[in-house]
Amino acid sequence: MEIKTITVGPLGANCFIVADEKTSEAIIIDPGDEPEKILETVNNNNYKIKYIICTHAHFDHVGATGEIKRNTNAKIVIHKNDLELYRNAVDQGAFWGFEVESLPEPDMFVDEGEKIEFGSLSFEVMHMPGHSPGGICLYGENVLFAGDTLFAGSVGRTDFTGGDLSLLKKSFARLLTLPPETKVFSGHGPSTTIGIEKINNFFVDEI
């Protein structure tokens, strides 16, 4: 498995390209901005993009999905509970002073327990509401792609539309039940592990 991290946009969102080394089949997680940077990595490595996965539909995580889809023909995947947010990405960006292009409709919805499979790799969808209604994490291969549910030392905000602190607490507590050696790739900031977050994350005292 190869994991490429590309930090994009004015809010420093992490976009991940996850690839099966043998087949070069890959997924792109959270292409929020700067599609040219993302596509350069795709093309330089001859990746065959199967899915574009949005862990949630805030504009800084979905802004480049249209351009990526046009260049890869990959399927755009979200949780249905974030569809309204996804459709409002242009207005979200404008509220914060950023221009976001209109996005194509998602190709498919995923929900709790479903599998994302490409090459020999398989990741399980975990529905993790709180930061947004349809937030998801992808778990597999001893790795967690956490979106904005969990950061190194912190958690996602709940003061945006659709945010819910009580749900975030439940989602956070659930993530802490994963094996401590699980490596966590978050939507912003550095990577961490579940074991480290059990000790260092301030939100442990909130649940």
Side-chain angles (χ1 to χ4, degrees), residues 1-175:
M1 180 173 62
E2 293 181 337
I3 300 174
K4 306 286 188 183
T5 304
I6 308 165
T7 303
V8 298
L11 301 184
N14 289 328
C15 171
F16 302 103
I17 302 176
V18 188
D20 173 51
E21 294 176 82
K22 292 182 180 178
T23 65
S24 294
E25 277 199 346
I27 61 173
I28 296 176
I29 300 172
D30 289 352
D33 202 351
E34 299 183 80
E36 66 284 350
K37 284 175 61 174
I38 300 168
L39 290 168
E40 181 180 18
T41 301
V42 170
N43 295 331
N44 286 347
N45 291 275
N46 294 313
Y47 290 143
K48 305 164 191 170
I49 306 302
K50 190 173 181 181
Y51 299 113
I52 302 163
I53 313 288
C54 303
T55 62
H56 61 293
H58 289 148
F59 77 93
D60 56 322
H61 291 258
V62 302
T65 54
E67 186 68 17
I68 299 298
K69 181 173 178 63
R70 285 192 290 272
N71 281 271
T72 65
N73 202 33
K75 293 182 178 180
I76 298 171
V77 182
I78 69 170
H79 190 282
K80 63 182 182 299
N81 289 2
D82 262 15
L83 181 58
E84 183 177 355
L85 276 178
Y86 181 88
R87 288 174 170 168
N88 290 336
V90 173
D91 292 338
Q92 288 181 50
F95 179 81
W96 292 94
F98 302 118
E99 185 175 348
V100 178
E101 71 165 18
S102 296
L103 304 178
E105 283 290 288
D107 295 289
M108 56 185 285
F109 299 116
V110 290
D111 205 347
E112 173 70 32
E114 295 184 20
K115 303 286 187 181
I116 298 292
E117 297 179 338
F118 53 103
S120 63
L121 303 177
S122 179
F123 287 86
E124 181 178 344
V125 174
M126 303 175 73
H127 181 209
M128 291 289 169
H131 181 63
S132 74
I136 61 171
C137 298
L138 298 181
Y139 174 63
E141 313 295 331
N142 205 32
V143 166
L144 177 77
F145 293 96
D148 285 5
T149 299
L150 171 65
F151 302 131
S154 188
V155 292
R157 295 169 59 165
T158 58
D159 57 339
F160 298 139
T161 300
D164 188 312
L165 182 60
S166 64
L167 289 178
L168 183 65
K169 289 179 179 180
K170 292 177 182 178
S171 294
F172 179 83
R174 186 176 167 209
L175 289 181

